[in-house]
Amino acid sequence: MFINFGDIPGHQNLFLDYLYEFENVKEYFNSDFRSRDGYLKIFKSVSEHKNPAREIMPGILKAQYSSLQPSEKTSDNISKLSSDNTLAVVTGQQLGILSGPLYTLYKIITAIKLSESFSQKYDGFNFVPVFWLEGDDHDFNEVRQIKLPDDNNNIKTIGYSTEANEDDDRSSVGTLKFDSSINDFFTNLEQSLRDTEFKPAIISKLKEFYAEGKTFKDAFRELIFFLFDKYGLIIFDPQDNAVKELLKPVFIKEVTDFRLHAEKLVITSAQIEEVYHAQVKIRPLNLFYSNEDGRYLLEPVENDFRLKRKRRKFTFEEIISEINHQPQRFSPNVILRPICQDYLLPTAAYAGGPGEISYLAQVNPLYKFYQIPAPVIYPRSSVMILEKNILNVLEKYDLDLLDIIIDPEKVKQKIVEKVSDFTVEETFKDAVIQFEMGFDKIKEGLFRIDKTTADASNRYKTKILSYVDELKEKALEAQKRKHETILRQIDKVSTAVFPHSVLQEREINFVYYWNKYGDDFLKKLFDEIEIGHFEHQVIKI
């Protein structure tokens, strides 16, 4: 079962046009992902692009995997990257605790399946899936918590540590180490998950990855490795000092030509803003600088550069010297990250979500400046898990899933009226019509007696109708109380499929389902997710 994204509240028009009306947005992208005729041209362009990183990357990846024991498939994929005819299907994500929302898994599965599909269709090339660890991100509050449904039909937030203030100068989340409060996180998690035959083993395994002293990046990497290594997924760490050495030309060019870059990006973003919504704010310079105090955005000030909210300044020559001698101190912001990614990797396609597709429309001009071939931007799979108990409620009351998503309160009212022998809305509507007709006759008679009294009667009519409305609301509430069990079931369905009025995949962590269904859940996801529909897929479990 599939649901058109246009029918689901909350999606931006740029994303919808990218999916269904590409002509409207073609000026912001290098290729149409639906036009398979253009794929071969892109693949050849990426394959023929000369970049010194091509020869070095396999060695860096092997070093990154030195503490792991990758599957034969993953090892082969790493080795294949040294060949000109091997291309990467890339995706990436912030390092959310326990992998963050469900869509992280959907992105990975999309990249793996897309690389397999490309390998079958384009036999002149090899395709390997790569996951980019976004460890340079510093939004701690976004990665510190997960959400799960609880037994009372509420969405419970389970967080590690305490929230950070917006003004706190945080280091990159990839380098942050878990302290002893990770034990409190797991205590809360164990109390929140129902007892199942799978729970002890799952909790034990997760505690191996997420332990005091480990970093967010190491824990996330170990979890993703555990889940997807057998499929040949290459997990890439761009925070590696050896990687930052390779990125020096990108950093230097950004500092040297930032005015030219910013001007074009601002123009493009303004054009997008006229019709759609610009996903990210354009900055004058797209680099962060890290030191022992934290990670700061670099800002140009007259002929110098400074750290945002700090007094420290650099001359142009000092910044270039820093890049050459300490490139590990620099990292790209969200605008420059795709350029770094496709400079390092022979990226044939990037599997991205709605927000990423929207901001990549703003990034596109940079590919020409950096003379890097732009990949196909491929929409990741989007999935709703529909459990049997939820499906039973839908079938019992003959409910349309989309109606639940759009307006659950309206659905509840319809259900109550359907099972009730007294239809409140219709009864009161008929009564009001009859009253107004009778009152009009009274007013007509009053005009014959006294016009002033007739005019004053409107006040009494308004007052009476307000009492009728008040009585109707009380009747509706009484009706709801009478059918409280049914309404709780509808609320449960709504919470399960569209929690907090957003898609399930953006709220719920996969551990909730893994705990209930074991490894079969993960296998079912991989087997059933379809990457070629470009609609919201419903998977029954």
Side-chain angles (χ1 to χ4, degrees), residues 396-414:
K396 180 178 180 179
Y397 299 109
D398 193 25
L399 300 178
D400 189 305
L401 186 57
L402 192 56
D403 289 340
I404 294 282
I405 292 172
I406 295 173
D407 193 345
E409 290 303 315
K410 189 174 181 180
V411 170
K412 286 159 72 173
Q413 187 58 44
K414 284 183 178 180

Side-chain angles (χ1 to χ4, degrees), residues 483-502:
H483 302 290
E484 189 175 349
T485 301
I486 296 174
L487 297 180
R488 281 203 304 267
Q489 288 180 314
I490 304 302
D491 282 335
K492 185 173 184 177
V493 172
S494 180
T495 300
V497 302
F498 208 55
H500 294 161
S501 299
V502 298

Side-chain angles (χ1 to χ4, degrees), residues 99 277 361 377 450:
S99 79
H277 165 70
I377 308 302
D450 179 53

Side-chain angles (χ1 to χ4, degrees), residues 132-150:
W132 177 285
L133 294 167
E134 293 187 13
D136 275 322
D137 182 88
H138 63 171
D139 195 333
F140 177 72
N141 291 338
E142 283 197 14
V143 301
R144 61 172 285 274
Q145 61 188 26
I146 62 169
K147 295 180 181 180
L148 306 170
D150 66 15

Side-chain angles (χ1 to χ4, degrees), residues 344-400:
L344 294 168
L345 298 166
T347 312
Y350 182 82
E356 289 174 300
I357 288 172
S358 295
Y359 87 72
L360 286 169
Q362 298 173 255
V363 174
N364 193 49
L366 288 182
Y367 281 91
K368 290 184 179 179
F369 287 125
Y370 284 91
Q371 297 182 326
I372 299 171
V376 176
I377 308 302
Y378 199 90
R380 67 159 172 85
S381 294
S382 177
V383 177
M384 177 188 296
I385 306 301
L386 196 60
E387 295 183 271
K388 188 176 181 179
N389 62 327
I390 301 300
L391 183 61
N392 289 341
V393 176
L394 292 172
E395 292 176 346
K396 180 178 180 179
Y397 299 109
D398 193 25
L399 300 178
D400 189 305

Side-chain angles (χ1 to χ4, degrees), residues 51 126 225 235 346 454 512:
N51 190 325
N126 298 312
F225 177 83
I235 304 171
Y512 172 75

